[in-house]
Amino acid sequence: MVLLIILTVLLVVVLLLLMRAAYRRSVRIRNRLQMDRIFTNISHELLTPLTVISASVERMNAEEPRFAQDYALINLNINRMVHLLQEILETSKSQSGELKLLVARGDVMQYISRTALCLEPLMTKRKIRFTVDCEPQSMMGWIDTDKLDKIIYNLLSNAAKFTEEGGTVSLNVRTSKNYDKVRITVADSGIGIPKEKMKHLFHRFYDGNYRKMKTTGIGLGLSLTRDLVYLHGGTIDCESEESKGTTFVVTLPITKESFAKSQIDETYQIDLDKPQSFILDFNAVKPQPAPVRKETDEESPDEDVYRILLVEDNVELLMLMQTLLSSRYHVTTAHNGKEALGLVEQQELDLIISDVMMPEMDGNELTRCIKENPNTSHLPVILLTAKTQESDREKSMRIGADDYVTKPFRMGDLELRIRNIIENRKRIRREFKAQTVEESRLKARVASPTADELFLQKAIDCVYAHLGDSEFDRDAFASDMGMSASTLYNKLRSITGLNVTAFIRDIRMKEARRLAQTQPDLRVSDLAYKVGFKDPKYFSTCFKKEFGLQPSEFLEKSNSL
């Protein structure tokens, strides 16, 4: 009896667990179908405004053709968005069984060849050797150009993503012995696919080692490609070896008899001059070279023109920011944090604007390297990111970022952030200029001094220690500070607006004024020698330029008080 009760209880528990699992599965399916419908609706809604934008750009191009490069940049990104939305739509249709085939008669080999060659700009951009070989070069058959176009684009663009510079990608097309099928082979010399990931290769949202190749993707391409191949009644296979490359082989039927009557369009003629591939027209949007900056004398730098380093791996966004900011600032560009760090060490800069997510070295790591280095810690950093979580912003600010802008952003907002940082620097410079040496030294001794305040205190103390030494110049100053003359110049200019020689002179002039106020009986020559001038006449010229009075007049005025 007890055993019967136990078995009954176990049976009930098992049934409850099965019912719970079935319920959860039905909820997941229902939620997935609901999400598919949401994605489909959103994609449709987004395609309409993109069409309006595209039409508006065409009209502006006709009326103001001098902005052709800007229009090309806009159209390039419109095309990218359209392609992504279409991929989402096709995937949703495939999942719901609504994806339909419609084949037409045309030259299969010519169409495949021309469509593949349209991706040559993408291969050129990534410095990949790309070959297309079709044998025979021409053969008639029945294909759905829209679906075949997506198959070719997805396989070739995927190969390009996972092939490093200098590698190879090839497309080889052959017919079967009976000329009833085409065999499309896409091979690359890329990083390959680990064995444990091969079984998930055609799953939706498969990540494909995007992080390893420092690229992006949403994981729909190969899943959609497989669905499109199966829709044709074809096959798709993949062979891969890590560090050696990957080969995809697609076999598609091309005879009229291979398709149902409802899948055949007798009236449509394939236009070989209009392959539907999503083309990356990089030739139309070549980056503008950075403006050439004339070397200026360190004694008289151009204080009004700030030097900005833009760091962004997206070529189009980098180009756009460079174009818009170059009218006001000297702009240098880098494509990743590692490249940027090299430029920071080599060039005179006032501000860095960097994306967060980049290959080689991301924006957070770049900021950390800049802020932890005493030679570059004075440089303000604005980070740009698509991450909107407050925790991400806090992480970047803790590392030392001076500002944080989330994408998408308006250029006007970014320019406002730049101006705010510059105006703050100018305010600090004005305050330093108005302060006495003692006031500057006291300010640097606050409870929690910043890195800039500590540096400034050290610099003032260093000059003050050599105040009467007329031979104390920028090289001796840099040596005492333990840094190169160029680094010392960059930091002083950033914090005080003064070059090295002007900074030394400023400290000497301020001390001369203090001595003239406290010791009005001093002779002008003695005053000059005390603050490191060996020529009293030159000292008098500098003093009048700084304070509007000859030192003799200032001494006389102080003596009368």
Side-chain angles (χ1 to χ4, degrees):
M1 178 62 71
V2 174
L3 180 61
L4 181 61
I5 293 173
I6 292 173
L7 289 175
T8 303
V9 170
L10 287 175
L11 180 60
V12 171
V13 169
V14 170
L15 287 173
L16 286 173
L17 288 174
L18 289 173
M19 290 173 64
R20 182 183 179 188
Y23 173 75
R24 286 184 170 179
R25 187 161 56 250
S26 67
V27 170
R28 284 198 301 269
I29 293 172
R30 187 165 63 251
N31 288 341
R32 188 184 68 188
L33 292 174
Q34 185 176 4
M35 287 306 297
D36 283 342
R37 284 195 295 271
I38 291 172
F39 279 133
T40 301
N41 292 338
I42 291 175
S43 299
H44 275 298
E45 290 299 321
L46 288 175
L47 285 170
T48 300
L50 285 174
T51 303
V52 174
I53 294 171
S54 181
S56 299
V57 171
E58 287 184 18
R59 180 177 59 81
M60 290 189 295
N61 193 19
E63 295 177 359
E64 290 286 348
R66 61 197 176 98
F67 299 113
Q69 189 177 45
D70 295 316
Y71 302 141
L73 186 61
I74 295 171
N75 279 322
L76 174 62
N77 284 279
I78 289 173
N79 289 338
R80 279 183 164 167
M81 290 183 70
V82 169
H83 171 76
L84 181 58
L85 292 172
Q86 288 177 341
E87 195 166 72
I88 293 172
L89 281 170
E90 293 284 88
T91 302
S92 296
K93 288 180 181 178
S94 176
Q95 294 297 312
S96 61
E98 296 176 0
L99 202 58
K100 305 299 180 185
L101 197 68
L102 193 63
V103 299
R105 189 172 184 272
D107 194 323
V108 177
M109 292 300 202
Q110 284 289 313
Y111 186 83
I112 293 175
S113 175
R114 294 192 186 191
T115 302
L117 288 173
C118 286
L119 279 94
E120 200 161 29
L122 173 63
M123 303 295 179
T124 301
K125 176 179 179 287
R126 297 184 62 85
K127 299 178 182 179
I128 293 171
R129 296 191 300 276
F130 179 46
T131 58
V132 176
D133 179 26
C134 295
E135 184 61 39
Q137 295 183 358
S138 177
M139 190 184 72
M140 301 301 289
W142 293 80
I143 54 174
D144 184 327
T145 56
D146 178 60
K147 307 299 186 293
L148 181 58
D149 176 81
K150 289 181 174 64
I151 293 171
I152 294 171
Y153 171 78
N154 283 335
L155 291 177
L156 288 176
S157 64
N158 208 59
K161 282 181 181 179
F162 297 105
T163 300
E164 296 174 338
E165 287 188 6
T168 61
V169 172
S170 65
L171 181 136
N172 182 288
V173 187
R174 295 291 183 268
T175 62
S176 61
K177 292 181 180 179
N178 297 324
Y179 300 101
D180 58 346
K181 296 178 182 178
V182 288
R183 188 173 186 266
I184 303 170
T185 304
V186 174
D188 66 64
S189 62
I191 62 172
I193 304 168
K195 289 182 180 179
E196 66 272 13
K197 289 195 173 186
M198 285 293 289
K199 60 182 179 180
H200 304 296
L201 187 61
F202 295 107
H203 290 186
R204 280 200 296 170
F205 309 118
Y206 167 70
D207 66 12
N209 281 335
Y210 287 110
R211 296 175 186 85
K212 182 176 180 180
M213 292 302 292
K214 311 297 184 182
T215 184
T216 59
I218 59 173
L220 292 179
L222 287 179
S223 172
L224 178 60
T225 299
R226 179 199 59 182
D227 293 346
L228 294 176
V229 170
Y230 287 174
L231 186 67
H232 280 80
T235 62
I236 180 169
D237 297 296
C238 176
E239 293 183 359
S240 186
E241 187 174 349
E242 284 192 82
S243 304
K244 291 191 176 180
T246 302
T247 300
F248 283 91
V249 179
V250 171
T251 302
L252 299 176
I254 58 170
T255 60
K256 186 177 181 180
E257 294 73 26
S258 301
F259 306 101
K261 189 175 181 179
S262 60
Q263 296 176 324
I264 298 171
D265 186 352
E266 298 271 10
T267 60
Y268 177 70
Q269 293 293 319
I270 297 172
D271 187 352
L272 294 176
D273 294 325
K274 292 183 179 180
Q276 300 170 28
S277 183
F278 168 63
I279 309 306
L280 301 179
D281 190 6
F282 291 102
N283 295 325
V285 289
K286 291 179 180 178
Q288 295 293 322
V292 178
R293 174 177 167 261
K294 294 181 180 179
E295 290 296 326
T296 57
D297 185 357
E298 196 245 356
E299 295 296 326
S300 56
D302 184 357
E303 305 295 347
D304 294 328
V305 181
Y306 280 73
R307 299 166 181 85
I308 294 177
L309 172 62
L310 298 177
V311 193
E312 171 63 64
D313 60 331
N314 182 288
V315 176
E316 294 80 36
L317 180 55
L318 181 66
M319 207 177 76
L320 178 63
M321 290 192 295
Q322 180 188 358
T323 301
L324 295 177
L325 294 176
S326 291
S327 61
R328 290 190 178 92
Y329 312 104
H330 285 300
V331 178
T332 305
T333 61
H335 296 90
N336 57 66
K338 186 177 180 181
E339 182 183 339
L341 199 58
L343 292 173
V344 169
E345 294 169 352
Q346 298 168 12
Q347 298 190 11
E348 299 171 9
L349 297 168
D350 296 297
L351 175 65
I352 297 168
I353 301 172
S354 174
D355 188 22
V356 172
M357 298 178 67
M358 295 182 296
E360 300 293 338
M361 178 189 288
D362 66 24
N364 281 332
E365 185 60 27
L366 172 63
T367 303
R368 190 194 310 277
C369 291
I370 290 170
K371 296 299 183 177
E372 289 181 352
N373 185 343
N375 295 335
T376 58
S377 59
H378 61 284
L379 289 174
V381 179
I382 299 176
L383 289 180
L384 312 175
T385 181
K387 296 182 177 181
T388 58
Q389 296 293 324
E390 180 64 20
S391 57
D392 294 316
R393 189 192 72 81
E394 289 178 356
K395 177 183 176 181
S396 296
M397 298 303 280
R398 281 197 301 269
I399 289 171
D402 295 83
D403 210 337
Y404 188 90
V405 181
T406 56
K407 297 178 181 179
F409 58 87
R410 294 184 303 170
M411 279 303 300
D413 183 41
L414 178 60
E415 288 190 85
L416 180 61
R417 309 289 183 101
I418 295 170
R419 286 198 297 272
N420 285 343
I421 287 178
I422 290 175
E423 286 304 316
N424 187 51
R425 289 278 168 167
K426 286 182 177 179
R427 178 185 57 77
I428 294 172
R429 292 173 182 181
R430 288 193 299 268
E431 289 178 356
F432 173 79
K433 191 69 176 174
Q435 289 169 352
T436 65
V437 174
E438 194 56 35
E439 286 172 341
S440 297
R441 296 170 87 181
L442 287 172
K443 187 176 181 180
R445 295 190 179 101
V446 295
S448 301
T450 64
D452 287 352
E453 287 168 339
L454 288 172
F455 168 81
L456 194 56
Q457 177 186 342
K458 183 179 178 181
I460 293 171
D461 289 344
C462 186
V463 175
Y464 210 80
H466 297 84
L467 200 63
D469 183 4
S470 61
E471 301 300 323
F472 186 72
D473 58 11
R474 65 176 187 173
D475 291 330
F477 190 7
S479 178
D480 279 13
M481 291 290 289
M483 58 182 62
S484 68
S486 60
T487 299
L488 178 61
Y489 164 74
N490 289 336
K491 287 184 74 70
L492 283 176
R493 181 185 178 278
S494 175
I495 298 170
T496 69
L498 301 172
N499 59 49
V500 180
T501 305
F503 180 82
I504 296 173
R505 187 187 301 121
D506 183 77
I507 300 299
R508 284 175 169 164
M509 285 292 100
K510 286 177 178 178
E511 180 61 14
R513 181 179 61 182
R514 189 190 70 80
L515 289 172
Q517 289 171 337
T518 58
Q519 303 178 41
D521 294 331
L522 281 171
R523 293 185 302 175
V524 171
S525 57
D526 291 335
L527 183 58
Y529 300 145
K530 279 182 176 292
V531 294
F533 283 82
K534 55 186 176 183
D535 183 355
K537 288 185 178 180
Y538 179 60
F539 166 73
S540 296
T541 301
C542 294
F543 193 95
K544 184 176 182 180
K545 183 179 179 181
E546 186 74 19
F547 305 115
L549 292 172
Q550 288 286 350
S552 57
E553 296 172 334
F554 194 93
L555 286 166
E556 184 179 345
K557 186 177 178 181
S558 298
N559 204 13
S560 64
L561 295 176

